[in-house]
Amino acid sequence: MKFKKFYLWSLILITAGVAISTSACSSKSSEKLVVSTFGLSTKQMRSDVLNPFSKKYNVKVSTQFGDSSTRLTQIEHNPNSNVDVIELAQNNAVTGAKKKLFKKLDFSKIKNFKYLSKDQQQLAKKTNTVPYTVNSVGIIYNPKKVNIKDWNDLWSDKLKQKISVPDMTTTFGPAMLYIAGDHAGTQVTKDDGTAAFKAMKDLKPNIVKTYTQSSDLSNMFKTGEISAAVVGDYAVGMLQVTNPDLKYFVPASGTYANYDNVSILKNSKNTNAAYQYINYRLSESVQKKVANAKSLNNAPVNQQVRLSKKEAANKTYGDVAKHAKTIDFFYVNSHISKWINQWNKIMNN
């Protein structure tokens, strides 16, 4: 009996020792980081970015997924949320910067920052948000039904009731207005969009409907409701999977670019891990990995990254990137409420 008691007590002490050891190890082991990011391709985001980062830096990563504007609004109304790092479309990043929701960044802590272009670095310093990928807008169409070679072709009588364009409230809504301004021969910033809105009024007979989500276009093409659309390059792969006949191109006259940016929230308590995450996001290896069409299909901003012609397809890279014009989102955001009202009067009447 004494032996059995001794054995039982020994077993309890050993088990307790293991538990204490494990507990001490786990409490010591990892920092924490809460990342708020886009709701598209969540599986690839976890497998190609979040999980490898967590493993490499021993950081426990939690995630909030959703669309850019909704997540920004949540942060705005709850600045004391537990989110550390947020990834946003450029217009939302500019809004967040203006509302002082982000930490002032110490760029010396981001070693890969030097591989961004001067314009990208300037944007980062102006907004305290760092571009980590770039996308742009082009035309996707069914060549069996229509023939399009340039932005101006969208205004052709041959396309009456055949196209869809992004709504003003979407990422590329302002780009559509810039394109209309180019068609009218007057830049949006020269006359507050007056000529551009006149051009949109002229375009209306060709527009079946505006869309708020790229996925909405899939069914419209499939049913033959539309034959062409203005769309962001990040949605092209998804649309071609469901409609293999579709072709995408960026007109030779150029396009308009939009960055997705990452920033650290002002009240983040995990600043060290946040800087590690941003630097990791900009690293050559990660930028190359997520550029793959089977991954996030994100065009790289790290200038060390080289893509083959096949890898560069449907991305803002190479010649497309060189001819991509910028949108002044500080200007856009100061006019957006008025523009949305003007847009709705034209499109919904």
Side-chain angles (χ1 to χ4, degrees), residues 6-22:
F6 174 78
Y7 174 79
L8 286 170
W9 275 109
S10 298
L11 190 61
I12 290 167
L13 286 170
I14 289 169
T15 305
V18 170
I20 291 167
S21 169
T22 304

Side-chain angles (χ1 to χ4, degrees), residues 23-33 53-55 57-61 270 272-273 276:
S23 173
C25 181
S26 61
S27 64
K28 175 186 175 185
S29 67
S30 60
E31 293 181 78
K32 294 180 181 178
L33 190 73
F53 168 78
S54 176
K55 186 176 180 180
Y57 291 99
N58 199 24
V59 173
K60 183 179 179 182
V61 178
N270 300 296
N272 180 58
Q276 287 177 325

Side-chain angles (χ1 to χ4, degrees), residues 18-120:
V18 170
I20 291 167
S21 169
T22 304
S23 173
C25 181
S26 61
S27 64
K28 175 186 175 185
S29 67
S30 60
E31 293 181 78
K32 294 180 181 178
L33 190 73
V34 180
V35 178
S36 174
T37 189
F38 296 90
L40 290 170
S41 307
T42 56
K43 182 180 177 181
Q44 289 81 5
M45 180 64 183
R46 284 195 178 99
S47 64
D48 293 350
V49 179
L50 300 172
N51 292 345
F53 168 78
S54 176
K55 186 176 180 180
K56 180 173 182 177
Y57 291 99
N58 199 24
V59 173
K60 183 179 179 182
V61 178
S62 302
T63 321
Q64 176 199 68
F65 291 108
D67 71 84
S68 183
S69 57
T70 300
R71 291 181 293 106
L72 177 66
T73 300
Q74 289 170 347
I75 294 299
E76 194 180 337
H77 288 100
N78 183 19
N80 295 314
S81 74
N82 63 348
V83 173
D84 297 296
V85 166
I86 190 164
E87 297 183 345
L88 297 167
Q90 189 176 346
N91 63 329
N92 297 132
V94 167
T95 298
K98 190 174 181 181
K99 294 184 176 180
K100 302 187 185 304
L101 299 178
F102 311 137
K103 277 189 189 295
K104 183 172 176 56
L105 292 176
D106 179 352
F107 295 100
S108 68
K109 294 182 178 179
I110 307 171
K111 292 182 179 179
N112 290 315
F113 185 72
K114 62 187 176 185
Y115 298 122
L116 300 186
S117 70
K118 287 183 180 178
D119 286 346
Q120 291 161 358

Side-chain angles (χ1 to χ4, degrees), residues 28 30 35 42 78 90 110 147 149-150 155 180 186 189 211 223 226-227 234 247-248 258 260 305 317 323 335:
K28 175 186 175 185
S30 60
V35 178
T42 56
N78 183 19
Q90 189 176 346
I110 307 171
N147 183 27
K149 294 182 178 179
D150 188 68
W155 277 261
T186 304
T189 52
Y211 68 89
T223 60
I226 59 172
S227 300
Y234 51 76
K247 286 191 176 182
Y248 174 80
N258 165 76
D260 287 340
V305 178
Y317 179 84
H323 294 98
H335 290 73

Side-chain angles (χ1 to χ4, degrees), residues 14-301:
I14 289 169
T15 305
V18 170
I20 291 167
S21 169
T22 304
S23 173
C25 181
S26 61
S27 64
K28 175 186 175 185
S29 67
S30 60
E31 293 181 78
K32 294 180 181 178
L33 190 73
V34 180
V35 178
S36 174
T37 189
F38 296 90
L40 290 170
S41 307
T42 56
K43 182 180 177 181
Q44 289 81 5
M45 180 64 183
R46 284 195 178 99
S47 64
D48 293 350
V49 179
L50 300 172
N51 292 345
F53 168 78
S54 176
K55 186 176 180 180
K56 180 173 182 177
Y57 291 99
N58 199 24
V59 173
K60 183 179 179 182
V61 178
S62 302
T63 321
Q64 176 199 68
F65 291 108
D67 71 84
S68 183
S69 57
T70 300
R71 291 181 293 106
L72 177 66
T73 300
Q74 289 170 347
I75 294 299
E76 194 180 337
H77 288 100
N78 183 19
N80 295 314
S81 74
N82 63 348
V83 173
D84 297 296
V85 166
I86 190 164
E87 297 183 345
L88 297 167
Q90 189 176 346
N91 63 329
N92 297 132
V94 167
T95 298
K98 190 174 181 181
K99 294 184 176 180
K100 302 187 185 304
L101 299 178
F102 311 137
K103 277 189 189 295
K104 183 172 176 56
L105 292 176
D106 179 352
F107 295 100
S108 68
K109 294 182 178 179
I110 307 171
K111 292 182 179 179
N112 290 315
F113 185 72
K114 62 187 176 185
Y115 298 122
L116 300 186
S117 70
K118 287 183 180 178
D119 286 346
Q120 291 161 358
Q121 290 183 14
Q122 187 178 9
L123 174 63
K125 290 173 181 176
K126 200 173 179 181
T127 60
N128 283 303
T129 70
V130 182
Y132 66 87
T133 186
V134 59
N135 40 67
S136 61
V137 68
I139 299 171
I140 191 164
Y141 70 103
N142 186 337
K144 293 180 178 179
K145 295 186 176 182
V146 292
N147 183 27
I148 305 175
K149 294 182 178 179
D150 188 68
W151 292 115
N152 290 323
D153 291 344
L154 295 174
W155 277 261
S156 168
D157 292 341
K158 294 177 182 179
L159 292 181
K160 190 173 181 180
Q161 284 290 291
K162 289 187 177 180
I163 69 172
S164 182
V165 299
D167 191 77
M168 179 54 68
T169 59
T170 65
T171 298
F172 281 115
M176 188 64 231
L177 194 64
Y178 269 64
I179 291 163
D182 292 339
H183 175 76
T186 304
Q187 292 179 11
V188 167
T189 52
K190 297 291 184 185
D191 66 350
D192 291 344
T194 301
F197 274 109
K198 185 179 181 304
M200 287 306 303
K201 193 172 183 179
D202 293 340
L203 183 64
K204 187 184 176 183
N206 291 359
I207 299 173
V208 177
K209 64 173 69 172
T210 62
Y211 68 89
T212 55
Q213 294 183 325
S214 304
S215 55
D216 296 341
L217 296 174
S218 184
N219 271 339
M220 286 194 274
F221 273 116
K222 192 175 288 185
T223 60
E225 190 177 3
I226 59 172
S227 300
V230 175
V231 69
D233 56 18
Y234 51 76
V236 172
M238 175 269 293
L239 292 173
Q240 288 178 332
V241 165
T242 53
N243 296 272
D245 291 333
L246 297 181
K247 286 191 176 182
Y248 174 80
F249 78 105
V250 174
S253 57
T255 182
Y256 285 95
N258 165 76
Y259 291 105
D260 287 340
N261 299 346
V262 55
S263 51
I264 303 174
L265 290 176
K266 186 183 283 185
N267 295 323
S268 169
K269 295 174 183 174
N270 300 296
T271 307
N272 180 58
Y275 274 112
Q276 287 177 325
Y277 178 81
I278 293 175
N279 193 57
Y280 182 77
R281 206 70 165 99
L282 297 180
S283 66
E284 184 177 355
S285 60
V286 174
Q287 292 256 303
K288 176 82 171 176
K289 182 194 292 183
V290 299
N292 191 294
K294 292 182 180 178
S295 180
L296 298 174
N297 203 37
N298 283 172
V301 291

